[in-house]
Amino acid sequence: MKTIAVFGVGYVGLTTGACLAEMGYRVVGCDVNETKINLLRQAQIPFSEPGLAPLVERNLSAGRLSFTADGREVLHDAEMVFICVGTPTGPSGAADLSQVEAAVRLVASAATRPLIVILKSTIPPGGTAEHFAEILARELPPQLTAPIVVNPEFLREGSAVHDFFFPDRVVVGAWDRAAGEQVAALYAPLRCPVLLTDPASAQLTKYASNAFLAAKISFINEVGRIAEQVGANVYAVAQGMGLDERIGGDFLEAGLGYGGSCFPKDVKALAAIAEEHGSSSALLGAVMDINAGQRRLAVEKLRDALGGLEGKNLCVLGLAFKADTDDVREAPALDVISMLCDQGASVRTYDPVAAARAQEVLPPHSRLLYCQDAYEAATGSDAAFIATDWKEFRDLDWNRLGSLMKGNTILDGRGLISPQQMRENGFRCLALAS
Ligand SMILES: NC(=O)c1ccc[n+]([C@@H]2O[C@H](COP(=O)([O-])OP(=O)(O)OC[C@H]3O[C@@H](n4cnc5c(N)ncnc54)[C@H](O)[C@@H]3O)[C@@H](O)[C@H]2O)c1
């Protein structure tokens, strides 16, 4: 049985490790965060990801999955090391690769046998994989080799386990063809297309894919603004466009725009890559501007509808950047809440799972209250604002919610509920796009 080490057991690393263990490999997950490791040893998942807990529990008990905070220890046995640490936005907009560099340096200093280093973290092309290969070549003991293979991850939070087992494709970028083929072979049981290419192309495929999806979202939001001017309905337009197989309906939902740990940072990083290499990207700049504009537009619509925000009570439903996750990184809701509070409104908010994470990042505010459910959040509010596409919000008893509110204004930032039905229930519906 192959032994695989996974450095960084966050959303990507834990999913990868648990799914590889489920496929029969022996996996050791390693993280610098000891609290995370201690929780995982007791089969407790440190974040919310549907379907992951039973996988971790089953594979821990079967002895195929284990966790440690000691990276050196796992390198005694591992034949492959997946690096799944964070690559957040650095001060210039480019990806901060310090976590990856620390993990690569640890491998270089502690490896005791030949192994393959698999970069699953999202890492910009243009010399970075080469840099890590040089560190390994320079710092490994002379008798050892550790070829680098780039294997970007495409899973979506909220359906990460499903996406691991049913990927549209696996991309493997390697200079060392044999090492690339060994990594590709790991995924053979999944019976999906595997693209074997060079590292730079694998790296750029990841950035280009995320930037394209983000561009689709900003595109439909731009069309939404035009639709409002010309009296068209953007949801009908998106439906009409999406039925064209060349376009496809996914990521054409007009609304509050994208957030999360990937799209914002990867679009920014791709723009920085273009700049660093002497070109610039007008398209990526526009994608980011439009996206930021949607959050401001939401606040403006509420302000205009309520005749100002000073002293108003607002209910914000949803904190996570999308449904089925507790991830609030770059979540539009957090920006909107900050803007509302800054302009004098009081905000009562509720999210099914993400409140604790939001409280870690949103500065405490005397006019911001976290509630236990949507009805409590709506009580006494002048307007309600849907910021996350949780199914729970679609299924609310909107009559009851409306009766608890002081006003009757609702702004659906996610196109979740039917405006016609809401109007019949006595709501005054605002939209980010008509
Ligand atoms: N989250 C997603 O949906 C997603 C999807 C595709 C790709 N990615 C990419 O995958 C990478 C990881 O993302 P994530 O969301 O899982 O991040 P995360 O923040 O959830 O997890 C990263 C983990 O790495 C740990 N870590 C940091 N330095 C370490 C080190 N030197 N050794 C061991 N562990 C270390 C951190 O403590 C943390 O637990 C990023 O590059 C991201 O862009 C993320």
Side-chain angles (χ1 to χ4, degrees), residues 7-13 30-33 36 84-87 99 102-103 121-122 153 155 157 206 261-262 265 329:
F7 278 63
V9 283
Y11 291 88
V12 166
C30 169
D31 203 291
V32 288
N33 182 332
K36 239 179 208 181
C84 304
V85 299
T87 50
Q99 295 179 28
S121 298
T122 303
E153 181 53 63
L155 62 74
E157 286 175 21
K206 171 65 191 172
S261 68
C262 291
K265 93 172 162 60
R329 288 178 279 187

Side-chain angles (χ1 to χ4, degrees), residues 145-169:
T145 54
I148 280 203
V149 173
V150 175
N151 173 217
E153 181 53 63
F154 298 97
L155 62 74
R156 295 160 299 177
E157 286 175 21
S159 57
V161 172
H162 171 275
D163 292 351
F164 181 93
F165 286 117
F166 302 97
D168 291 335
R169 78 309 206 180

Side-chain angles (χ1 to χ4, degrees), residues 42-196:
Q42 298 159 52
Q44 287 179 38
I45 311 293
F47 49 85
S48 170
E49 183 57 46
L52 192 52
L55 270 192
V56 169
E57 207 175 307
R58 185 160 60 240
N59 287 286
L60 264 176
S61 340
R64 286 189 297 268
L65 182 61
S66 59
F67 296 99
T68 177
D70 183 352
R72 294 181 169 268
E73 177 194 311
V74 301
L75 290 167
H76 293 313
D77 299 326
E79 292 150 73
M80 292 183 171
V81 177
F82 274 90
I83 296 188
C84 304
V85 299
T87 50
T89 304
S92 69
D96 171 354
L97 300 179
S98 55
Q99 295 179 28
V100 180
E101 178 140 351
V104 169
R105 284 192 186 278
L106 182 73
V107 173
S109 67
T112 55
R113 49 167 301 154
L115 43 75
I116 300 175
V117 176
I118 305 161
L119 300 177
K120 192 169 260 310
S121 298
T122 303
I123 291 169
T128 50
E130 290 81 350
H131 171 66
F132 296 131
E134 276 162 27
I135 292 177
L136 289 165
R138 204 171 47 237
E139 295 181 17
L140 273 171
Q143 74 281 10
L144 294 188
T145 54
I148 280 203
V149 173
V150 175
N151 173 217
E153 181 53 63
F154 298 97
L155 62 74
R156 295 160 299 177
E157 286 175 21
S159 57
V161 172
H162 171 275
D163 292 351
F164 181 93
F165 286 117
F166 302 97
D168 291 335
R169 78 309 206 180
V170 165
V171 176
V172 175
W175 293 292
D176 178 329
R177 178 104 194 162
E181 280 169 358
Q182 280 191 64
V183 174
L186 285 179
Y187 297 99
L190 304 181
R191 297 180 183 282
C192 65
V194 177
L195 179 71
L196 204 48

Side-chain angles (χ1 to χ4, degrees), residues 30 61 64 168 178 245 248 255 269 277-278 286 309 326-327 361 380 394 409 417:
C30 169
S61 340
R64 286 189 297 268
D168 291 335
E245 280 183 11
H277 291 82
L309 288 169
D326 61 350
D327 200 338
V361 291
R394 189 182 300 135
T409 301
I417 46 179

